[in-house]
Amino acid sequence: MEIYKNFINGKWGGTDASMRNINPSDTNDVLGLAVVSDAAQIDAAVNAAREAFTTWSTSPVQLRSRILDITGNEILARREELGQLLAREEGKTVREAIGEVTRAGEIFKFMAGEALRIPGEVLDSTRLGMTVEITREAVGVIGMITPWNFPLAIPAWKTAPALAFGNCVVLKPAELVPASAVALADILHRAGLPDGVFNLVLGKGSIVGQALIEHPGIDAISFTGSQGVGHNIARIAAERMIRCQLEMGGKNPLVVLDDADIDIAVECALDGSFYATGQRCTASSRLIVGAAIHDQFVERLTGRLKALKVGHAFAADTNIGPVVDARQLESNLNYVNIGREQGAELVYGGEHLDCPTPGFYMSPGLFIATDNTMRINQEEVFGPVASVMKATDFDEALALANATRFGLSSGIVTRSLKYASAFKRYSQAGMVMVNAPTAGVDPHVPFGGRKASSYGPREQGRYALEFYTSVKTSYIQP
Ligand code: NAP
Ligand code: MG
């Protein structure tokens, strides 16, 4: 059986304590045992990263670029195999998992280029003969904490820019998905990354995650996960006066106006709400639909849902894989009950399913006759459950879309340039999609939200520079 270990200062190791990594499509399938670390391993990892920082942060950008490029190439070359591993560990379909792996590879390739393009400025000083240089330097040791829903892509989109700009990393992945993080550490190591630059510590968030954010040796924290944990991190980072970047939940609206192309509207809802088992922070969980198109939209969407196959992530005909674990499944089913109790009408699914293999299966759930004050429209479910709300006109739809404490992504399906433009301008979200699903984003542009969804500088694309570099202003009198 596979043993997933920590990777600290270029060496694999761990503790005696271990936990099982279970396949959510088939709980009899145990991928391996992952070490369960404590604060001592965090300490060793942070110290190794501090030790490596001086050399790495001043290393030639060509070296950094080459290592990131080799990493990206290997991930892309092994996309099928890594996709299988990811699907087995997390439960998304193999097709979805290969998509995620591809994205992770492309992010490393993009950041390999960015390492060679670290920008600066030279200006004349206001003082005679003097020049001013504005340069960017690495921040230091970055503590990273990542969720289970994108086991490879999220570690990749934090690690690639961190390394490109000369930082060292200590990564604490979600305990449900150690295998993908171990694969990443192995690839980075064999790509030639010096010892101590990237360190991986496996274990429980409440223990090693907490030890990481409290460690005096880290200079910044990049976190993706739930709002509660994010809030705690922001508080600790503020006390310590170190920078932090938090990507948290969403309650993303998809507006379907009466003039929408019904095929596009249904496909956007299907993809955004239910693919990847609804376990995406950008999932469209609120479908805000024009009164005139409402009945047709619900009928067509329900028809499409009936045709979807829920099943083992490895089965070729599966459209929706299992929920990640028993706890998340129970929480999803509980939200279905809450929706019913608050008066929403469940028109399809939302039920626990038995499949040939024992796993955490549920049918995609669709509610209608919901209003925006219901808990299913205000709290993140993080599963394959969406609710429809009726809107009489564009203004009401926009107001409903914005009536949430979250603000990650939003979408509108319409043929009207006027309404599409107005929505793009007035939607209180970090990412706005026109005639496209709320989930599914490009790897080379900024990712992030507003309000309770995000805090701190954006991730990804060239904007990642803001978080992973520190600005220096130098005055030079020759
Ligand atoms: P989570 O429970 O907040 O866990 C996220 C990470 O934080 C995990 O590595 C977890 O470790 C760790 N953690 C837990 N308690 C901690 C503590 N006290 N101190 C430090 N770290 C701690 O979230 P999740 O259930 O894995 O993921 C689902 C959530 O992530 C959803 O709310 C979703 O919207 C959000 N998400 C957001 C984005 C985005 O970019 N906006 C992307 C993906 C997911 P353990 O696994 O060991 O508990
Ligand atoms: Mg697992």
Side-chain angles (χ1 to χ4, degrees):
M1 188 177 291
E2 197 76 40
I3 307 286
Y4 304 111
K5 293 185 175 155
N6 293 331
F7 186 69
I8 298 173
N9 207 15
K11 284 173 200 66
W12 296 98
T15 59
D16 293 336
S18 64
M19 71 172 276
R20 297 189 316 157
N21 185 6
I22 289 167
N23 179 349
S25 298
D26 179 357
T27 55
N28 292 325
D29 176 26
V30 180
L31 283 80
L33 295 175
V35 303
V36 179
S37 313
D38 54 37
Q41 280 81 51
I42 286 290
D43 196 43
V46 174
N47 290 339
R50 286 239 72 84
E51 190 78 16
F53 179 69
T54 309
T55 307
W56 179 248
S57 60
T58 53
S59 61
V61 289
Q62 186 64 64
L63 173 72
R64 276 143 47 184
S65 175
R66 194 181 306 131
I67 292 168
L68 294 175
D69 195 49
I70 293 169
T71 301
N73 286 341
E74 177 166 342
I75 292 172
L76 291 175
R78 291 172 57 197
R79 66 177 99 188
E80 305 264 335
E81 172 214 335
L82 291 170
Q84 299 259 342
L85 177 72
L86 202 162
R88 192 174 159 211
E89 169 168 84
E90 195 266 354
K92 64 185 64 173
T93 65
V94 172
R95 192 182 51 81
E96 289 167 340
I98 291 173
E100 178 179 340
V101 172
T102 303
R103 178 185 176 143
E106 283 166 352
I107 286 168
F108 275 101
K109 303 280 286 178
F110 176 83
M111 285 298 167
E114 290 303 283
L116 301 175
R117 280 190 288 267
I118 301 173
E121 283 183 83
V122 180
L123 282 75
D124 282 345
S125 165
T126 55
R127 284 166 271 174
L128 185 65
M130 189 182 261
T131 54
V132 185
E133 278 182 16
I134 303 157
T135 50
R136 287 181 178 270
E137 297 177 0
V139 173
V141 176
I142 318 286
M144 296 180 179
I145 298 179
T146 53
W148 48 261
N149 65 334
F150 286 96
L152 194 62
I154 294 179
W157 83 49
K158 295 184 191 299
T159 299
L163 300 180
F165 303 129
N167 300 280
C168 294
V169 172
V170 177
L171 169 66
K172 203 307 277 181
E175 60 180 345
L176 291 175
V177 290
S180 301
V182 162
L184 178 62
D186 170 55
I187 293 169
L188 283 166
H189 180 50
R190 285 185 296 94
L193 199 65
D195 292 351
V197 174
F198 176 89
N199 305 276
L200 173 70
V201 181
L202 304 175
K204 291 194 183 305
S206 54
I207 298 163
V208 280
Q210 192 73 25
L212 180 58
I213 58 183
E214 287 175 353
H215 198 289
I218 60 165
D219 302 291
I221 304 165
S222 183
F223 168 81
T224 302
S226 61
Q227 228 217 324
V229 177
H231 194 263
N232 183 44
I233 291 175
R235 197 176 48 73
I236 291 170
E239 266 168 18
R240 298 189 43 201
M241 293 200 280
I242 61 172
R243 58 178 76 184
C244 75
Q245 171 185 62
L246 314 171
E247 292 298 342
M248 298 164 288
K251 200 66 210 169
N252 312 294
L254 178 74
V255 170
V256 176
L257 293 186
D258 287 335
D259 73 354
D261 178 320
I262 185 82
D263 293 326
I264 294 175
V266 169
E267 289 314 307
C268 286
L270 198 68
D271 178 332
S273 303
F274 303 109
Y275 288 172
T277 321
Q279 297 175 148
R280 293 187 284 191
C281 47
T282 47
S284 7
S285 49
R286 297 185 300 140
L287 305 172
I288 300 165
V289 182
I293 201 173
H294 175 274
D295 292 357
Q296 193 194 358
F297 173 82
V298 170
E299 192 193 317
R300 292 275 297 272
L301 182 57
T302 310
R304 293 284 280 123
L305 287 177
K306 282 180 185 154
L308 290 184
K309 174 118 186 345
V310 177
H312 197 297
F314 282 9
D317 61 348
T318 293
N319 302 109
I320 297 183
V323 172
V324 73
D325 72 351
R327 209 175 55 164
Q328 186 68 48
L329 176 62
E330 193 191 313
S331 167
N332 295 350
L333 296 172
N334 188 40
Y335 269 111
V336 172
N337 281 335
I338 290 169
R340 278 213 199 86
E341 278 164 20
Q342 292 197 317
E345 187 187 334
L346 186 68
V347 286
Y348 185 77
E351 290 171 326
H352 184 198
L353 294 179
D354 280 325
C355 287
T357 48
F360 310 114
Y361 298 102
M362 77 175 279
S363 50
L366 184 66
F367 279 110
I368 61 168
T370 75
D371 77 61
N372 201 44
T373 62
M374 291 176 175
R375 286 182 62 192
I376 50 167
N377 280 328
Q378 287 300 323
E379 297 170 23
E380 187 178 45
V381 177
F382 218 59
V385 180
S387 31
V388 176
M389 280 179 274
K390 244 187 228 183
T392 48
D393 58 18
F394 173 78
D395 289 342
E396 193 192 358
L398 176 67
L400 280 171
N402 286 335
T404 164
R405 64 199 181 92
F406 294 108
L408 189 56
S409 68
S410 68
I412 188 166
V413 184
T414 179
R415 289 189 171 96
S416 156
L417 179 61
K418 179 178 134 190
Y419 288 136
S421 305
F423 187 78
K424 183 180 67 101
R425 176 61 186 85
Y426 296 111
S427 173
Q428 293 161 8
M431 298 175 289
V432 181
M433 319 293 184
V434 176
N435 295 321
T438 59
V441 296
D442 287 1
H444 67 306
V445 289
F447 178 95
R450 296 183 181 178
K451 303 200 282 191
S453 290
S454 298
Y455 182 77
R458 287 284 186 266
E459 302 202 70
Q460 301 197 58
R462 283 193 285 132
Y463 286 71
L465 187 79
E466 295 302 330
F467 183 72
Y468 290 107
T469 63
S470 181
V471 171
K472 181 178 277 176
T473 312
S474 311
Y475 296 82
I476 300 130
Q477 184 68 272

